[in-house]
Amino acid sequence: MKKITPEMLDELTVLFTDTFNAPPWNDLWSLEQARIRLRDIMRMPNFCGAAEYRDGRLVGLIMGHGEQSYDGMHFQILEFCVANDMKGHGIGSEMIKEFTDYLDRKGVTSIYLLTMRGAASEDFYAGQGFSTVREMCVMSRRPS
């Protein structure tokens, strides 16, 4: 994996939109919206991100940021994806392992993320050692 830099933003944006505009997410990201999201994540304090290449082609990205807590540094994975045509080849599992091992070596005490409940992504993350936190809930509010 290669450390993500601002110079990679355009190719990261294309991978991101291609991945999340396809099933199972079926989002409606424009290239500009995705570019802004990824750029904003890259500007966060304690940003960390990595990109996976195969034969010179970008096939995966993982990124997020650290937040200090009373018990150490917590890291939130904000975005993670593998190119649609490369899913099922173990790339995502390799990326998660390498990235979380790196964060462990850096002294991060907790790694967390948000994903859709009941989707293939929840099963994928469970297989990577993540567990659903039953005592927490995600709440949201939209303006009236």
Side-chain angles (χ1 to χ4, degrees), residues 96-111:
I96 288 282
K97 172 133 182 46
E98 190 173 333
F99 195 72
T100 56
D101 286 352
Y102 172 80
L103 294 174
D104 290 345
R105 289 191 305 275
K106 289 292 192 184
V108 169
T109 57
S110 175
I111 303 168

Side-chain angles (χ1 to χ4, degrees), residues 1 17 20 38-39 41 50 56-57 71 77 90 96 121 125 127:
M1 284 199 304
T17 55
F20 289 108
L38 298 179
R39 183 200 64 210
I41 293 170
R57 176 183 163 219
D71 62 346
I77 297 173
I96 288 282
S121 55
Y125 289 119

Side-chain angles (χ1 to χ4, degrees), residues 2 6 16-17 21 26 30 36 44-46 48 56 66-67 71 77-78 83 90 93 98 100-101 104 107 123 140 143:
K2 181 178 178 181
F16 181 88
T17 55
N21 286 347
N26 299 308
S30 71
I36 291 168
M44 289 179 159
N46 300 309
C48 184
E67 301 172 308
D71 62 346
I77 297 173
L78 292 169
S93 297
E98 190 173 333
T100 56
D101 286 352
D104 290 345
D123 291 338
S140 72

Side-chain angles (χ1 to χ4, degrees), residues 1 52 60-62 80 91-99:
M1 284 199 304
E52 180 68 24
L61 71 84
I62 186 167
F80 173 58
I91 293 170
S93 297
E94 290 173 25
M95 289 180 68
I96 288 282
K97 172 133 182 46
E98 190 173 333
F99 195 72

Side-chain angles (χ1 to χ4, degrees), residues 43-134:
R43 291 178 175 172
M44 289 179 159
N46 300 309
F47 165 78
C48 184
E52 180 68 24
Y53 289 84
R54 297 289 163 97
D55 298 321
R57 176 183 163 219
L58 175 67
V59 297
L61 71 84
I62 186 167
M63 60 172 55
H65 72 104
E67 301 172 308
Q68 186 62 48
S69 186
Y70 71 92
D71 62 346
M73 182 66 73
H74 293 195
F75 190 90
Q76 181 179 10
I77 297 173
L78 292 169
E79 297 298 350
F80 173 58
C81 65
V82 173
N84 294 321
D85 65 330
M86 299 299 286
K87 291 180 179 162
H89 297 284
I91 293 170
S93 297
E94 290 173 25
M95 289 180 68
I96 288 282
K97 172 133 182 46
E98 190 173 333
F99 195 72
T100 56
D101 286 352
Y102 172 80
L103 294 174
D104 290 345
R105 289 191 305 275
K106 289 292 192 184
V108 169
T109 57
S110 175
I111 303 168
Y112 66 101
L113 55 87
L114 301 174
T115 194
M116 292 188 302
R117 184 179 298 279
S121 55
E122 185 177 9
D123 291 338
F124 169 78
Y125 289 119
Q128 305 306 312
F130 287 79
S131 58
T132 302
V133 180
R134 301 286 176 208

Side-chain angles (χ1 to χ4, degrees), residues 10-29:
D10 288 339
E11 67 179 331
L12 295 168
T13 299
V14 170
L15 174 65
F16 181 88
T17 55
D18 287 351
T19 302
F20 289 108
N21 286 347
W25 299 277
N26 299 308
D27 291 341
L28 300 172
W29 288 99

